[in-house]
Amino acid sequence: MIESFIGMGQGFLIAFTPQNLYYCFLGCLFGTVVGVLPGVGPLAGISLLLPATFGMPPVSALIMLCGIYYGAMYGGSTTSILMNIPGEAASVVTCIDGYQMARKGRAGAALFIAAWGSFLGGNISVLGIALLAPVLADFAVKFGPAEMFAVMVMAMMLVGYVGSGSVLKTMCMVMLGLFLGTIGMDTMTGYLRMTYGIKELADGIGFIPVAMGLFGIAEILSSTQDTLVRDVLKPKLRELLPNRDELRRSWGPIGRGSVMGFFIGLLPGAAHIIAGFSSYALEKKLATHPEEFGTGRIEGVAGPETANNSATGGAMIPFLSLGIPSGPATAVMMVALLIHGIKPGPLLIQENPEVFWGVVASMYIGNVVLLILNLPLVGLFVNLLRIPFKLLFPIILTICIIGVYSIDASTMELWIMLISGLVGFVLRRFRFDVAPLVLALIIGPMMELAFRQSLMMSGGSFAVFFGSPISLVLLSVSALLVLTGLARPLLAGRRPKTNP
Amino acid sequence: MNTDRVGYSGLFVVALYGMISSFLMPLGQLREPGPGFLPLCLSTILVILAGVGVISSRPSQEDLARTEPFWGNMKSPVKIVVTTGLAIWAFEPVGFLVTSVCFLGLLFRWVSDYPWWKAVLLGVCIGGAGWFFFAKLLGVSMPGGFLGW
Amino acid sequence: MSRRVALLISLFVVMVIAAPISAQEYPTKPITLINPLPPGGTLDLQGRAFAAVVEKYLGKPMVVVNKTGAAGAVGSLAAAQAKPDGYTLCLGWSAQTALIINEILEGRKPSFNIDDYVVLGRFTDSSPVFLVPYNSPWKTIQQAVDDIKAHPGAYSYSSGGIQSISHLPMEALIVENGLKLKHVPFQGGGPAFTALIGSHVQCSAQYPGTSLPKVKAKQLRALAVFSGQRLKGYEDVPTFKELGYNVFHSSWVGLVAPKATPAPIVEKLRTLVKQVTKDPAFVDVIEKAGDEVDYADAEKTRQAWSKEYERLQKLLSRMEKQK
């Protein structure tokens, strides 16, 4: 513990040099821009600036790249709230209540709380890294395929909570999402499932084009059905900030979200996304009026946004302590380290402590920088909503096209986005909630892969899932969730027939 | 009309198609599931759920109160989809700059009902700004098309 | 002489002169380098390092574009079909060969082939290392092989994906010795390492750059290397050949261009590869990442590619038969 504090002190000394502060700021700024743009995520931003870092000292390079990573997380919530377009994967959940808040004129409050929640979540996770990194690194390694499967099962249970509307409809959307997730090359056998010879589908239906289509494009299509003149809200400064009630209701979700997000961030894979909707599900479960979720509840923004920022910190632990990248963005950062001659791995903290602690300290500084950057921008962003819709929506469409194309330089993904937009439009008309579909689309393949890997390793024995304490605990919790979830309507006598 | 029933029927058909596709794939055994195993399970469950939905759905309040046609005013959505489709199709051969300018111009004129000159002006300005910002400033790789821009 | 003939002759002369001139003027705009694999991997590192140094020699920047999909097939196909004007190049690597062969084995005509490209040169040629968790009971390859033979189907190894550069070397070992070792594919090297470190699988074949830090940290142990000679950084680890096993695998990374690229431009690019691979900035980056620059000119690379094609073809067919 003492070493941690000494280390942090050393780190702050390094991070506070004018040069590193400058790079941190630059990274955060670039990251925010990149995050606000739908489709262009932290990965693209980091890859774009990677060559620029070649001449820089290693610590500075990493500080800048982490700044981009963080900034993108902050920026991603902006488009989710303002335009119902997830700026990047983890912000999907923010769309649900965030956008509804914007429709009610509370966009400023939503953006503000998102920024604050992200700040607090980020801080807690930095603290967590500083104090717990060595302990937790080993924990991350204990997660083999069987444990991952148990995690995914629990995640699927939580996805069910995210849907509004009837249970049957939500379950249908989840099944559909899981099914669509199987399209593509099967990781275990290399078999191409339902790709119909289209090479680009071999990696599955890309999540980002689908999310942007189902949320953003579908929203534009339905909005243009009525007149193109929407109520242009002229927010006053007071209305930009959350009111007392909203602030009071946000503390709980923020607190819970930070802790939850941090630990979920340790898991390899799509930790941010899981953190986001786990927090959403938790808040919904704890709320006195869960049916109001989906209509613009501040808890639905505060919790997930905090959780996904906190998860960023958690995700850095396996990377910094073990040299194992937890996702594509950290993989590119690892390349950055290698280029600078730093070997990421367990010895990083010993051989290059200045890198480890410098990065951790700059994450904290980055948080502060981003808060300072984003809060004034809230006013600017909310004013974007004053642009007449008929002028705005073509611009949004163009940005979506650019965003999706920039991921893989693929026209096929643009088509996927358009088709998803149509599908989303149709689903909305028929009163089906799209969020569970998208989340199932992400979780499904991971769940199946973990399942089959486990069976492969155990030689077909199902005992592998009950072997380790971690998976046993998680599976029991999932079973409990299912039982309590089913029990309530069953006890009430009939399936809820609500067709909202 | 019973909105939910139609919706569930659509899902039913999709799920049935999914079941058929899954059967065509190697299924493996329970101990070593093949590629087709999970899709089959999922589509079967969906068929059952959608079936239940079809049978048990009732017309909602909205359905009973509805006076206009179900789909509502489809003119604008159709126009948007067609224009976007054209833009995507032209994106790589024609190049980003020209396509985005035309795309924006068409939408502004056709859907947003701006007069011709305004639509073109906005298209050129915004499209040009976008090109400058993304392709030049950020260095995101955009297709140049046959004009090489 | 009639004016017409004079005109034709002068046109001809102009064209002849113009051809090398246009090659001299190349490049007039930035060049695109397609990386068919996702960002963050070895290929990405080498490609970006190369692109960063190129501007010094050519005067125009080279931009790396990740056109991913289907384990590299999407980007490779795009490169094969690109306009052969020297402004679109691609990275070539050994698993790409495996992609081609696999399509043939599945009875499909491969969408791209070695002949669709003209080879420009090779950057590196590396071989993987056979790794086990630090606490593994296997201390030598002999022990490992004997144990696996004694308990067929009881052990598994992790790889970064089907047909990846960490899958094929293990299959070479398996096929050569008739082992029954289960393959558990993961999505990329990162998860494959995690599974190995956590002892969820018993072994894996990974490359020096990413594995050396973990071996030094005593998380993993190296029992043998798949190369012909001992590797730098792993000097005390024997090669399979030394131990008496006929197992070899190497993975090269290089530069290719679409087949019909004009000869003068090809020449220029070939010289470029030679220059860049000697450039200290490039060498520095590669070596820091744990690899060695192993330049081979176009001819040698092409021959090695054909030889590798045959080797992988044999391996993949044997794998098919054993399925």
Side-chain angles (χ1 to χ4, degrees):
Chain A
M1 282 270 177
I2 310 242
E3 311 133 3
S4 301
F5 279 112
I6 297 181
M8 276 298 273
Q10 189 186 13
F12 271 109
L13 280 175
I14 296 171
F16 254 107
T17 63
Q19 188 190 27
N20 287 339
L21 277 175
Y22 168 70
Y23 284 126
C24 185
F25 179 76
L26 210 61
C28 291
L29 184 63
F30 192 67
T32 310
V33 170
V34 156
V36 168
L37 297 173
V40 186
L43 180 58
I46 295 179
S47 310
L48 277 172
L49 280 196
L50 189 59
T53 64
F54 282 3
M56 291 161 51
V59 190
S60 310
L62 205 56
I63 287 179
M64 188 167 89
L65 295 176
C66 284
I68 299 179
Y69 195 35
Y70 252 50
M73 287 295 159
Y74 265 77
S77 46
T78 310
T79 45
S80 308
I81 294 173
L82 294 179
M83 300 187 272
N84 201 36
I85 299 178
E88 55 98 45
S91 316
V92 167
V93 191
T94 316
C95 288
I96 306 176
D97 275 276
Y99 183 64
Q100 293 306 315
M101 282 184 72
R103 293 294 291 269
K104 286 194 206 163
R106 306 300 304 150
L111 287 170
F112 188 88
I113 292 284
W116 259 114
S118 301
F119 175 69
L120 291 170
N123 279 356
I124 302 224
S125 71
V126 169
L127 207 61
I129 295 181
L131 298 175
L132 298 173
V135 174
L136 291 175
D138 291 324
F139 181 69
V141 167
K142 291 210 171 59
F143 269 80
E147 289 77 11
M148 281 305 292
F149 176 69
V151 169
M152 294 299 149
V153 166
M154 207 173 79
M156 282 312 305
M157 300 295 131
L158 296 172
V159 166
Y161 274 92
V162 170
S164 44
S166 79
V167 175
L168 187 61
K169 280 188 176 170
T170 305
M171 278 168 57
C172 282
M173 286 292 103
V174 167
M175 287 299 139
L176 186 60
L178 288 176
F179 180 73
L180 290 175
T182 60
I183 296 179
M185 176 154 63
D186 172 31
T187 312
M188 292 290 287
T189 59
Y191 189 90
L192 292 171
R193 297 193 277 204
M194 294 180 282
T195 59
Y196 303 109
I198 303 176
K199 277 238 143 41
E200 286 85 343
L201 282 182
D203 280 332
I205 302 185
F207 156 74
I208 293 191
V210 167
M212 286 172 63
L214 286 175
F215 282 88
I217 308 236
E219 174 66 30
I220 291 182
L221 289 177
S222 9
S223 301
T224 52
Q225 284 202 296
D226 313 308
T227 71
L228 283 178
V229 178
R230 293 166 122 191
D231 304 316
V232 174
L233 307 155
K234 292 201 188 344
K236 300 194 262 293
L237 184 61
R238 233 179 311 124
E239 289 182 14
L240 281 181
L241 302 174
N243 57 39
R244 196 169 287 166
D245 181 48
E246 286 165 339
L247 269 177
R248 183 180 50 85
R249 286 187 295 150
S250 301
W251 285 119
I254 290 181
R256 291 185 281 270
S258 343
V259 176
M260 191 184 210
F262 178 68
F263 285 105
I264 296 183
L266 289 171
L267 303 173
H272 309 114
I273 308 175
I274 300 182
F277 72 77
S278 305
S279 168
Y280 189 86
L282 181 65
E283 295 312 315
K284 196 169 175 185
K285 202 155 173 36
L286 291 175
T288 44
H289 295 283
E291 63 282 356
E292 281 179 20
F293 271 73
T295 62
R297 295 273 299 191
I298 189 85
E299 292 91 331
V301 173
E305 275 302 309
T306 312
N308 74 32
N309 254 68
S310 188
T312 314
M316 294 290 282
I317 289 191
F319 168 57
L320 287 174
S321 313
L322 291 179
I324 297 173
S326 46
T330 31
V332 180
M333 282 200 266
M334 207 170 86
V335 171
L337 277 181
L338 285 172
I339 289 182
H340 284 92
I342 312 266
K343 294 210 199 309
L347 297 180
L348 181 71
I349 188 171
Q350 288 168 337
E351 288 179 355
N352 299 92
E354 75 280 0
V355 172
F356 186 91
W357 293 112
V359 167
V360 171
S362 78
M363 273 200 251
Y364 179 78
I365 297 179
N367 255 309
V368 177
V369 168
L370 283 165
L371 190 69
I372 300 177
L373 261 180
N374 276 286
L375 284 182
L377 287 179
V378 166
L380 175 67
F381 286 133
V382 174
N383 276 314
L384 281 179
L385 286 181
R386 298 166 91 192
I387 301 178
F389 187 66
K390 63 178 184 169
L391 179 58
L392 193 58
F393 86 83
I395 302 180
I396 298 179
L397 279 176
T398 312
I399 296 185
C400 285
I401 293 181
I402 297 174
V404 168
Y405 190 81
S406 72
I407 306 173
D408 261 341
S410 153
T411 318
M412 176 55 67
E413 297 198 341
L414 292 175
W415 286 116
I416 293 178
M417 181 175 77
L418 185 59
I419 296 174
S420 311
L422 273 171
V423 169
F425 176 69
V426 169
L427 283 174
R428 272 164 173 248
R429 266 276 146 197
F430 284 105
R431 308 309 227 124
F432 280 93
D433 187 9
V434 171
L437 196 159
V438 167
L439 294 170
L441 188 65
I442 308 171
I443 304 284
M446 296 197 286
M447 191 166 79
E448 184 197 11
L449 180 65
F451 182 69
R452 289 164 72 191
Q453 281 171 336
S454 311
L455 283 184
M456 175 62 94
M457 290 182 344
S458 70
S461 145
F462 280 85
V464 70
F465 297 115
F466 303 103
S468 85
I470 299 178
S471 59
L472 206 54
V473 165
L474 289 170
L475 285 174
S476 322
V477 171
S478 315
L480 263 167
L481 281 173
V482 170
L483 289 172
T484 53
L486 285 177
R488 231 182 287 132
L490 278 177
L491 286 173
R494 54 189 76 246
R495 243 188 317 106
K497 265 200 310 211
T498 49
N499 288 2
Chain B
M1 94 178 216
N2 187 345
T3 322
D4 285 347
R5 181 160 289 168
V6 176
Y8 282 119
S9 315
L11 277 177
F12 187 82
V13 169
V14 168
L16 212 54
Y17 176 75
M19 275 179 80
I20 299 174
S21 308
S22 317
F23 259 119
L24 297 175
M25 294 191 256
L27 293 174
Q29 311 149 315
L30 189 59
R31 300 191 149 257
E32 200 179 313
F37 186 76
L38 188 71
L40 185 63
C41 291
L42 294 171
S43 36
T44 314
I45 299 178
L46 190 56
V47 158
I48 298 174
L49 289 176
V52 168
V54 167
I55 298 172
S56 72
S57 54
R58 314 228 171 303
S60 67
Q61 306 283 43
E62 284 188 337
D63 290 335
L64 296 170
R66 184 173 294 127
T67 46
E68 333 153 313
F70 170 70
W71 287 104
N73 175 18
M74 286 295 281
K75 274 198 289 189
S76 294
V78 167
K79 287 186 202 170
I80 295 178
V81 169
V82 168
T83 318
T84 313
L86 281 173
I88 296 177
W89 180 71
F91 202 65
E92 275 185 345
V94 176
F96 167 60
L97 180 60
V98 175
T99 311
S100 55
V101 166
C102 295
F103 176 60
L104 286 165
L106 270 173
L107 281 177
F108 282 131
R109 172 74 200 114
W110 220 11
V111 183
S112 308
D113 270 333
Y114 282 112
W116 266 116
W117 64 269
K118 231 187 193 173
V120 169
L121 185 65
L122 283 170
V124 168
C125 290
I126 300 178
W131 175 77
F132 179 72
F133 185 63
F134 288 102
K136 290 272 154 210
L137 217 55
L138 286 185
V140 182
S141 58
M142 287 287 148
F146 59 82
L147 293 166
W149 288 339
Chain C
M1 253 198 286
S2 73
R3 278 174 59 187
R4 261 217 194 146
V5 178
L7 192 61
L8 278 173
I9 293 181
S10 37
L11 224 74
F12 183 80
V13 169
V14 166
M15 281 200 316
V16 168
I17 298 177
I21 287 180
S22 54
Q24 268 164 21
E25 283 173 357
Y26 168 86
T28 55
K29 52 178 183 155
I31 305 174
T32 307
L33 177 60
I34 296 183
N35 176 2
L37 290 183
T42 315
L43 218 69
D44 204 48
L45 172 73
Q46 298 189 9
R48 288 183 194 273
F50 184 80
V53 177
V54 156
E55 189 163 357
K56 209 180 356 174
Y57 295 89
L58 278 188
K60 282 277 184 271
M62 185 181 273
V63 178
V64 174
V65 171
N66 295 86
K67 216 171 166 100
T68 62
V74 172
S76 308
L77 180 62
Q81 294 175 335
K83 210 155 64 151
D85 55 3
Y87 288 101
T88 309
L89 305 176
C90 185
L91 289 171
W93 78 106
S94 55
Q96 201 177 32
T97 322
L99 291 173
I100 303 173
I101 299 175
N102 222 52
E103 293 213 31
I104 300 177
L105 285 177
E106 297 209 356
R108 292 196 293 270
K109 183 165 169 305
S111 43
F112 61 92
N113 213 321
I114 301 186
D115 299 313
D116 290 327
Y117 308 103
V118 59
V119 178
L120 299 173
R122 185 179 76 190
F123 302 157
T124 59
D125 197 15
S126 22
S127 290
V129 182
F130 184 93
L131 297 159
V132 295
Y134 195 70
N135 297 319
S136 164
W138 299 338
K139 304 277 187 267
T140 68
I141 285 289
Q142 189 65 52
Q143 282 178 342
V145 170
D146 289 339
D147 203 6
I148 298 175
K149 280 191 174 152
H151 304 100
Y155 299 113
S156 48
Y157 73 93
S158 66
S159 80
I162 304 204
Q163 308 285 340
S164 69
I165 51 181
S166 47
H167 173 211
L168 297 171
M170 288 300 282
E171 289 297 320
L173 178 65
I174 288 174
V175 151
E176 198 55 44
N177 296 289
L179 300 175
K180 279 226 175 319
L181 187 63
K182 286 180 296 195
H183 173 214
V184 184
F186 287 82
Q187 290 183 316
F193 264 115
T194 317
L196 184 64
I197 295 177
S199 294
H200 301 285
V201 294
Q202 285 70 46
C203 50
S204 187
Q206 301 290 340
Y207 288 75
T210 39
S211 56
L212 200 52
K214 300 177 172 61
V215 169
K216 281 219 188 111
K218 296 209 170 29
Q219 287 179 317
L220 300 173
R221 239 177 317 117
L223 297 185
V225 292
F226 285 80
S227 49
Q229 293 138 324
R230 296 205 177 189
L231 294 177
K232 193 159 89 166
Y234 282 107
E235 283 87 359
D236 51 350
V237 179
T239 70
F240 272 105
K241 287 234 165 73
E242 281 176 41
L243 295 171
Y245 296 92
N246 182 22
V247 173
F248 170 79
H249 188 91
S250 78
S251 226
W252 63 277
V253 175
L255 198 65
V256 300
K259 176 172 55 168
T261 310
I265 297 184
V266 169
E267 271 320 302
K268 203 158 185 194
L269 288 169
R270 284 179 173 167
T271 324
L272 179 70
V273 174
K274 193 161 182 194
Q275 289 172 317
V276 174
T277 49
K278 285 218 187 73
D279 190 301
F282 180 76
V283 173
D284 199 37
V285 171
I286 302 291
E287 288 191 347
K288 279 194 178 147
D291 244 325
E292 275 177 72
V293 176
D294 194 358
Y295 168 73
D297 66 32
E299 195 45 50
K300 217 167 120 197
T301 313
R302 183 70 174 84
Q303 283 172 355
W305 202 1
S306 305
K307 275 232 295 276
E308 179 187 67
Y309 188 91
E310 285 169 21
R311 176 167 60 88
L312 288 179
Q313 196 173 34
K314 279 201 206 102
L315 176 62
L316 287 166
S317 328
R318 284 172 82 176
M319 279 164 62
E320 270 298 303
K321 287 205 203 88
Q322 282 196 357
K323 250 193 230 172

